[in-house]
């Protein structure tokens, strides 16, 4: 196996947040004596990402995702632990390192609002010192893949949110980074625009074998792009592995969908399991994983079943459960 | 050298940005003309009553007004807009994009916003300066011209470093725009030679808000009033402040990244 | 009707005070500019007075000090930022919200302005004493000078606010309001007694100033307060103030109607 592209070992980040009571007196007091509260945003996180991998980085708001991404891209200095991205220590912020990574933040823009995106692209070309020939080639490729043709010569403020995000992504990729940190790249976009960007990311990864670490609130993004996910909560890693494995491990239930030959009374199926939905002739039941086979057998034997399928619950539900378990424990 | 190319690109972006709103050109031109009317009108009223003001003859004060407009133009061309943008970037979190670029981040934030029409002020200031010099009889030797150049450069460096340090405070304090308002309010005092002000105000205009170095000292150089000590002081202050601003920026960035916390 | 407006003013004042109090630091800092200008003018004219052996057109050093300290107070009392604010309000489309209210929008602006003036008194008064300590003023006022000066300042405020509010409406017709505003500022500075007492201005300016409204906004209240005017001049002054007040009020009504018509025709 090749060397990992990203390697984190016991990485931690603690913020010291000044605590202050309201009021003028308290403000004056805090000038002299400041009280701080330590908040562990990231707590001994370790994982590695291999070349060309697309990894989904999941967690609720405030779980430490963005802090981790910021440390990996060199914006934040960790409190302890080590980290390597392509053999660089990110927070040294060496120029050579900055030239091979990129960070896309769905909620922030780097493009200048008042001028066309192509002008901002030009600025990035100069700053990243991209050779003209390579720049031209990359730009053409990005224009083609993201369908930017009619967009890049319009002032950015005239673009829709989805169009702007496509331009933001293009601006972030002009220097052909090998490592992409994508923080909520599809946030706030409509379903079509989300799909476009998702397809682009997949295609980009395939063409350039780029390594991608992606956070998203949309499970569709994760399901479509990431074979592997890392789940973080309260700064700690809860899970690291294939998506399917997550479902297997964390969902104690399966869903059984039953197609009936004719409608039946509710008291005839109520005791098979938790009824999720039911309308004439269709029935969805949630049952404990261990009992799945037994319940399916009883259903087939006792009810007029025309079709029966056993499914994993939707991924959102599983993730919710993961976070809920953490809270209980 | 790449820094020059980056600077040039920012200028071009600023130009293209502004060319889209040509009406701004006339707005700025009008504003510059009005500012000139205000300055020269003030001088006309004062010299209607007297021949010299604290030893400065009319043409010398016109030269001072030229430098006042010129330096104001330099500040408003790049320093002020970039610093405002810098503080806004800190607040909005978009400073991250600057830090992620493989170029000196202090340089990037210092040149990133160019308001191209302020070149009008610079040209107009130069024009006023030249007219004043012609009327002065232009007995300006090489040494004086050189001293003027050095004093102007030192003044610009001092103003830049001063603003850079204030803007860097935004890493710790969210609301710092007001500091810029202080500077703008006090800058108008530079229309007149600071030697006319009472001592405490002179000290404030020299060391608290460095208008003396930015406007009066170059004007003194041009009108043969500058002592070598003052010029040397200007150079020393410029070098010192520039270094201090650099150090403070590094400190701020390290704080921002959480390395020093 | 008057009671209703009174209640609205009270409510609006409370809101404005609460809002602006949040920006007390900014308010304090903006005041620096409002103190610096009279200070600079005072220093310049003191220097001129010294060069001329102590007197410029009847103004000694102490007279200049008194003039500019009162100028600072009168300017603070009468000024408004309404022309700049409306440029933004109209361009951003917020003007529509003002039109939706069942009351003339000028009342909210007046209340806002008054709230600002009340809050900044905390800085203005110490600043006046500070200047008086640095530059001892020569004062020969009577108690009635101060009362009459206050009255003239109040009339000046109403007149100036009406005038500037009317000019602010030009934003409905042109997008080059800044040119209008800057021209207005420069004219005001030279013809109102703001930059210097009119007595020390060139003869041409003095003559023109008689035909313009501006000297009644600043110079008249200052000179009245300082007891520099004869009874006849005082009467003429109040007469001129009332004359211009009627003119600007009438013009405001006309411009306001035309402006609303324009706005509803073009939209924004």
């Amino acid at each position: 196996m090749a060397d990992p592209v990203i390697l984190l070992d016991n990485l931690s980040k603690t913020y010291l947040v000044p605590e202050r009571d309201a009021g003028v007196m308290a403000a004056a007091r805090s000038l002299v004596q400041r009280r701080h509260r330590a908040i562990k945003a990231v707590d001994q996180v370790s994982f590695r990402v291999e070349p060309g991998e697309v990894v989904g980085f999941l967690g609720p708001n405030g779980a430490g995702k963005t802090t981790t991404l910021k440390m990996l891209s060199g914006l934040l200095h960790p409190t302890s632990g080590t980290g390597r991205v392509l053999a660089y220590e990110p927070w040294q912020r060496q120029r050579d390192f900055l030239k091979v990574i990129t960070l896309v933040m769905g909620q922030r823009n780097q493009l200048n609002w008042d001028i066309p995106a192509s002008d901002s692209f030009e600025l990035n070309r100069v700053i990243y010192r991209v050779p003209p020939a390579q720049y031209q080639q990359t730009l053409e490729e990005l224009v083609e893949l993201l369908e930017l043709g009619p967009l890049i010569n319009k002032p950015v403020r005239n673009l829709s949110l989805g169009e702007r995000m496509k331009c933001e992504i293009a601006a972030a990729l002009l220097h052909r980074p090998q490592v992409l940190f994508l923080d909520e790249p599809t946030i706030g976009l409509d379903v079509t625009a989300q799909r476009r960007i998702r397809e682009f990311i997949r295609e980009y990864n395939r063409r350039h074998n780029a390594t991608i670490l992606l956070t998203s609130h949309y499970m569709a993004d994760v399901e479509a792009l990431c074979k592997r996910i890392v789940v973080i909560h309260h700064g700690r890693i809860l899970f690291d592995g294939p998506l399917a494995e997550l479902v297997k491990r964390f969902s104690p239930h399966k869903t059984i969908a039953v197609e009936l030959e004719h409608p039946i009374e509710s008291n005839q199926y109520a005791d098979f399991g938790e009824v999720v939905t039911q309308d004439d002739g269709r029935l969805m039941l949630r049952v404990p994983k261990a009992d799945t086979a037994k319940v399916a057998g009883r259903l087939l034997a006792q009810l007029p079943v025309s079709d029966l399928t056993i499914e994993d619950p939707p991924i959102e539900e599983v993730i919710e459960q993961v976070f809920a378990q953490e809270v209980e424990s | 050298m790449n820094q020059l190319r980056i600077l040039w690109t920012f200028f071009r972006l600023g130009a293209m940005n502004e060319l889209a709103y040509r009406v701004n050109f006339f707005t700025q031109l009008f504003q510059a003309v009005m500012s000139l009317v205000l300055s020269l009108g003030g001088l006309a009223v004062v010299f209607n009553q007297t021949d010299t003001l604290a030893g400065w003859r009319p043409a010398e004060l016109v030269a001072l007004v030229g430098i006042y407009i010129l330096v104001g133009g330099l500040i408003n061309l790049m320093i002020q807009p970039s610093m405002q943008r810098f503080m806004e970037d800190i607040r909005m979190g978009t400073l991250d994009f600057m830090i992620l670029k493989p170029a000196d981040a202090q340089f990037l934030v210092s040149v990133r916003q160019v308001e191209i029409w302020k070149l009008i002020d610079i040209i107009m200031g130069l024009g006023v300066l030249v007219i004043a010099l012609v009327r002065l009889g232009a007995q300006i030797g090489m040494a004086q011209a050189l001293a003027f150049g050095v004093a102007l450069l030192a003044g610009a460096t001092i103003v830049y470093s001063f603003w850079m340090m204030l803007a860097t405070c935004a890493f710790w304090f969210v609301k710092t725009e007001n500091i810029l308002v202080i500077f703008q309010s006090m800058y108008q005092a530079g229309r007149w030679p600071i030697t006319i002000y009472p001592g405490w105000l002179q000290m404030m205009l020299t060391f608290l808000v460095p208008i003396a170095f930015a406007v009066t000292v170059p004007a003194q150089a041009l009108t043969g009033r500058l002592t070598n000590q003052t010029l040397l002081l200007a150079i020393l202050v410029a070098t010192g402040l520039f270094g201090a601003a650099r150090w403070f920026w590094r400190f701020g960035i390290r704080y921002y990244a959480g390395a020093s916390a | 009707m008057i009671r209703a407006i009174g209640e609205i003013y009270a409510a609006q004042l409370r809101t404005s005070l609460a809002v602006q109090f949040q920006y007390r630091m900014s308010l304090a800092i903006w005041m620096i500019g409002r103190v610096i200008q009279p200070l600079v003018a005072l220093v310049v004219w003191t220097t001129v007075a010294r060069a001329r052996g102590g007197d410029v057109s009847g103004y000694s050093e102490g007279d200049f000090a008194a003039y500019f300290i009162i100028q600072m107070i009168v300017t603070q009392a009468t000024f408004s930022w309404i022309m700049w604010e409306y440029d933004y309000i109209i361009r951003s489309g917020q003007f529509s919200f003002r039109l939706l209210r069942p009351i003339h929008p000028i009342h909210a602006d007046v209340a806002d302005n008054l709230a600002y003036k009340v809050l900044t008194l905390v800085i203005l008064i110490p600043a006046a004493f500070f200047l008086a300590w640095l530059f001892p003023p020569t004062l020969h006022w009577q108690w009635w000078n101060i009362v009459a000066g206050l009255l003239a300042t109040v009339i000046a405020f109403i007149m100036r606010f009406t005038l500037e509010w009317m000019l602010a409406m030009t934003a409905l017709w042109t997008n080059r309001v800044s040119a209008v505003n800057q021209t207005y500022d420069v004219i005001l500075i030279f013809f109102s007694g703001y930059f210097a007492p009119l007595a020390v201005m060139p003869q041409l300016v003095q003559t023109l100033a008689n035909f313009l409204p501006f000297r009644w906004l600043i110079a008249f209240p200052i000179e009245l307060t300082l007891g520099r005017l004869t009874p006849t001049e005082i009467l003429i002054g109040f007469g001129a103030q009332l004359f211009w007040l009627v003119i600007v009020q009438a013009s405001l009504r006309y411009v306001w109607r035309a402006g609303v018509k324009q706005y509803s025709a073009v939209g924004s």
Side-chain angles (χ1 to χ4, degrees):
Chain A
M1 199 181 265
D3 286 338
V5 172
I6 300 171
L7 183 63
L8 298 187
D9 191 15
N10 276 321
L11 203 66
S12 297
K13 177 73 191 174
T14 308
Y15 290 114
L16 280 180
V17 186
E19 273 191 328
R20 199 178 96 182
D21 304 320
V24 181
M25 277 314 289
R29 218 178 304 124
S30 73
L31 287 176
V32 191
Q33 185 187 25
R34 281 203 155 182
R35 275 180 301 140
H36 291 277
R37 194 158 47 100
I39 292 183
K40 278 192 174 174
V42 173
D43 191 7
Q44 299 189 326
V45 161
S46 308
F47 64 86
R48 50 192 282 163
V49 180
E50 307 301 332
E53 250 192 309
V54 184
V55 174
F57 196 33
L58 308 180
N61 289 333
K65 287 174 300 187
T66 303
T67 303
T68 309
L69 283 192
K70 281 189 163 185
M71 286 193 281
L72 285 173
S73 52
L75 289 169
L76 276 181
H77 206 283
T79 315
S80 66
T82 55
R84 289 280 180 283
V85 173
L86 290 170
Y88 297 97
E89 191 172 38
W91 37 95
Q92 304 266 336
R93 271 202 300 278
Q94 285 147 302
R95 303 249 160 111
D96 290 336
F97 164 73
L98 295 174
K99 281 185 184 186
V100 294
I101 63 143
T102 202
L103 173 66
V104 172
M105 292 180 272
Q107 284 159 314
R108 295 178 194 171
N109 316 77
Q110 68 162 321
L111 295 174
N112 189 321
W113 197 250
D114 292 313
I115 54 177
S118 54
D119 292 334
S120 291
F121 290 177
E122 175 66 14
L123 181 66
N124 272 2
R125 180 186 76 77
V126 175
I127 291 175
Y128 281 95
R129 302 195 211 189
V130 184
Q134 187 200 323
Y135 173 75
Q136 207 51 46
Q137 198 193 339
T138 312
L139 185 60
E140 274 165 26
E141 185 191 356
L142 290 170
V143 166
E144 178 217 313
L145 282 178
L146 284 164
E147 296 164 354
L148 296 179
L151 306 181
I152 56 171
N153 290 319
K154 281 196 229 168
V156 170
R157 90 185 102 77
N158 293 345
L159 301 179
S160 74
L161 193 60
E163 291 171 337
R164 204 156 71 221
M165 201 57 224
K166 291 203 286 186
C167 290
E168 285 282 341
I169 290 177
L173 296 176
L174 286 167
H175 57 287
R176 279 199 203 159
Q178 296 166 41
V179 185
L180 279 58
F181 300 111
L182 309 178
D183 194 9
E184 303 279 358
T186 56
I187 196 156
L189 304 185
D190 64 52
V191 180
T192 326
Q194 281 184 18
R195 206 185 53 231
R196 279 273 159 71
I197 287 180
R198 210 176 289 146
E199 278 163 9
F200 168 79
I201 295 170
R202 191 191 302 131
E203 180 61 19
Y204 189 89
N205 165 258
R206 198 185 57 77
R207 283 197 192 188
H208 301 283
N209 198 35
T211 308
I212 300 174
L213 189 56
L214 165 113
T215 76
S216 179
H217 273 109
Y218 303 110
M219 286 309 138
D221 286 348
V222 178
E223 280 179 287
L225 292 170
C226 314
K227 290 199 186 70
R228 181 183 149 209
I229 58 169
V230 173
V231 179
I232 185 170
H233 193 33
H234 292 313
R236 308 192 75 122
I237 291 195
L238 286 187
F239 174 82
D240 180 353
L243 198 53
E245 175 71 26
L246 175 84
V247 177
K248 210 183 285 171
R249 169 126 43 111
F250 284 94
S251 179
H253 296 106
K254 289 237 177 202
T255 311
I256 303 180
V258 183
E259 200 87 45
L260 297 169
E261 280 161 1
H262 54 83
I264 53 170
E265 293 298 310
S266 62
N267 58 6
Q268 288 182 267
Y269 54 76
D271 57 337
F272 286 102
E274 188 190 338
V275 181
V276 186
T277 61
Q278 69 91 20
D279 56 273
D280 337 291
R282 278 191 57 85
L283 192 55
M284 285 264 273
L285 297 168
R286 187 185 289 141
V287 296
K289 214 185 315 190
D291 303 339
T292 317
K294 210 167 61 194
V295 174
R298 280 171 55 211
L299 279 166
L300 286 169
Q302 297 174 17
L303 297 180
V305 174
S306 66
D307 189 22
L308 183 144
T309 46
I310 299 172
E311 288 161 359
D312 285 321
I315 185 86
E316 270 97 346
E317 219 167 88
V318 180
I319 296 274
E320 246 170 58
Q321 242 151 7
V322 175
F323 299 149
Q325 281 178 4
E326 165 68 16
V327 174
E328 282 158 24
S329 64
Chain B
M1 271 313 95
N2 199 50
Q3 303 216 333
L4 277 181
R5 285 179 52 212
I6 292 172
L7 188 62
W8 171 239
T9 311
F10 275 117
F11 255 90
R12 266 196 21 219
L13 288 184
M16 284 189 297
N17 194 2
E18 285 294 329
L19 285 171
Y21 309 91
R22 254 179 320 165
V23 68
N24 285 358
F25 169 76
F26 295 101
T27 310
Q28 290 294 337
L29 185 65
F30 194 83
Q31 191 182 339
V33 170
M34 280 298 157
S35 169
L36 186 66
V37 168
L38 201 59
S39 293
L40 295 184
L43 287 187
V45 171
V46 166
F47 286 112
N48 189 37
Q49 298 285 359
T50 180
D51 295 330
T52 64
L53 186 72
W56 291 67
R57 285 174 292 142
E60 290 175 331
L61 276 191
V62 173
L64 181 89
V65 164
I67 295 168
Y68 171 80
I69 296 174
L70 171 70
V71 173
L74 282 174
I75 293 170
N76 289 322
L77 177 75
M78 210 160 66
I79 299 177
Q80 185 200 326
S82 294
M83 289 303 126
Q84 262 167 343
R85 183 71 190 271
F86 170 39
M87 291 188 292
E88 197 183 302
D89 277 341
I90 293 178
R91 207 176 47 228
M92 310 283 288
T94 37
L95 183 71
D96 292 353
F97 290 119
M98 289 293 109
I99 301 176
L100 281 176
K101 300 277 189 282
D104 188 280
Q106 187 192 349
F107 173 75
L108 283 184
V109 301
S110 303
V111 301
R112 90 173 280 216
Q113 196 79 22
V114 182
E115 300 213 344
I116 208 82
W117 295 137
K118 297 295 178 190
L119 283 172
I120 296 169
D121 287 353
I122 294 176
I123 293 166
M124 194 175 279
L126 279 174
V128 172
L129 189 58
V130 168
I131 291 168
L133 291 182
V134 170
R135 285 192 45 193
L136 273 173
Q139 317 112 328
I140 291 165
M142 270 307 282
Q144 252 174 325
L146 191 69
F148 170 69
V150 171
L152 196 63
L153 188 68
T157 309
I158 289 168
V159 171
Y160 162 71
S161 310
F162 171 77
W163 279 56
M164 188 69 215
M165 287 199 280
L166 289 185
T168 305
C169 291
F171 281 124
W172 293 271
F173 310 104
V174 186
K175 276 188 182 173
T176 43
E177 281 84 353
N178 283 325
I179 302 171
L180 304 185
V181 178
I182 299 182
F183 183 87
Q184 280 159 341
S185 304
M186 308 224 26
Y187 187 69
Q188 52 173 313
R191 266 202 191 109
W192 307 92
I194 71 145
T195 44
I196 71 169
Y197 297 115
W200 60 273
L201 191 55
Q202 282 189 34
M203 292 307 279
M204 273 175 72
L205 293 173
T206 308
F207 296 108
L208 203 62
V209 185
I211 291 155
F213 287 117
V215 184
T216 310
V217 171
Q220 285 174 331
L222 216 49
T223 53
R225 287 184 163 77
L226 190 62
T227 59
N228 287 337
Q229 287 95 313
T230 312
L231 186 62
L232 193 67
L233 180 68
I235 296 171
L236 284 178
V237 171
T239 322
L241 271 185
F242 191 75
R246 180 80 183 155
W247 173 84
F248 190 47
W249 157 266
R250 289 234 175 96
F251 182 68
I253 278 287
R254 274 182 39 221
Y255 169 81
Y256 186 69
S260 63
Chain C
M1 182 62 194
I2 289 183
R3 205 168 134 223
I5 288 196
E7 272 171 22
I8 290 167
Y9 262 86
Q12 183 74 42
L13 258 174
R14 272 197 302 274
T15 322
S16 295
L17 276 172
V19 169
Q20 294 189 25
F21 189 70
Q22 298 303 312
Y23 296 95
R24 50 197 181 274
M25 198 59 203
S26 308
L27 293 189
I29 283 165
W30 290 340
M31 283 301 286
I32 293 175
R34 312 207 63 81
V35 178
I36 281 278
Q37 188 281 332
L39 174 61
V40 169
L42 173 53
V43 170
V44 169
W45 288 108
T46 311
T47 314
V48 175
R50 277 199 207 118
R52 302 216 0 178
D55 180 275
V56 189
S57 305
Y59 277 84
S60 68
E61 277 184 50
D63 290 334
F64 276 121
Y67 186 91
F68 282 107
I69 292 167
I70 303 298
Q71 184 260 49
M72 180 176 77
I73 295 168
V74 170
T75 312
Q76 174 70 12
T78 57
F79 102 104
S80 85
W81 56 90
I82 204 76
M83 294 166 70
W84 302 100
E85 192 183 353
Y86 264 72
D87 183 23
Y88 170 75
I89 286 178
I90 289 170
R91 272 188 299 113
S92 66
Q94 285 182 37
F95 190 56
S96 303
F97 294 108
R98 307 212 165 200
L99 284 179
L100 284 176
R101 287 181 168 184
I103 181 174
H104 197 294
I106 196 172
H107 298 302
D109 298 326
V110 172
D112 218 28
N113 195 290
L114 289 178
Y116 170 80
K117 304 287 169 68
V118 170
L119 282 178
T120 48
L121 273 182
V122 186
I123 297 156
L124 185 73
I125 290 169
F129 279 104
F130 180 62
L131 285 185
W133 173 66
L134 288 169
F135 302 92
T138 316
L139 296 168
H140 3 243
W141 55 19
Q142 310 284 323
W143 64 268
W144 60 265
N145 285 122
I146 299 172
V147 174
L150 269 176
L151 178 63
T153 307
V154 169
I155 300 174
F157 167 67
I158 300 173
M159 180 176 148
R160 186 169 172 186
F161 200 87
T162 315
L163 178 64
E164 294 183 0
W165 204 86
M166 183 175 77
L167 287 174
M169 288 300 118
T170 50
L172 289 168
W173 284 274
T174 171
N175 55 3
R176 300 186 187 182
V177 190
S178 67
V180 177
N181 298 355
Q182 282 157 4
T183 314
Y184 172 82
D185 281 349
V186 168
I187 293 173
L188 187 79
I189 284 169
F190 287 118
F191 290 91
S192 67
Y194 177 81
F195 177 72
L198 285 169
V200 309
M201 297 297 278
Q203 194 54 51
L204 178 68
V205 175
Q206 292 191 37
T207 313
L208 280 175
N210 286 328
F211 298 98
L212 294 168
F214 307 110
R215 69 174 299 169
W216 312 113
L217 298 179
I218 292 173
F220 173 63
I222 303 172
E223 291 164 4
L224 179 58
T225 308
L226 293 177
R228 297 188 78 94
L229 300 180
T230 63
T232 324
E233 285 171 327
I234 294 172
L235 280 179
I236 293 174
F238 277 116
Q241 276 197 323
L242 292 177
F243 168 75
W244 282 108
L245 187 60
V246 169
I247 291 195
V248 291
Q249 283 281 346
S251 317
L252 173 74
R253 265 163 230 277
Y254 175 74
V255 172
W256 168 242
R257 272 196 213 117
V260 172
K261 216 163 145 193
Q262 163 80 9
Y263 186 76
S264 51
V266 182
S268 190

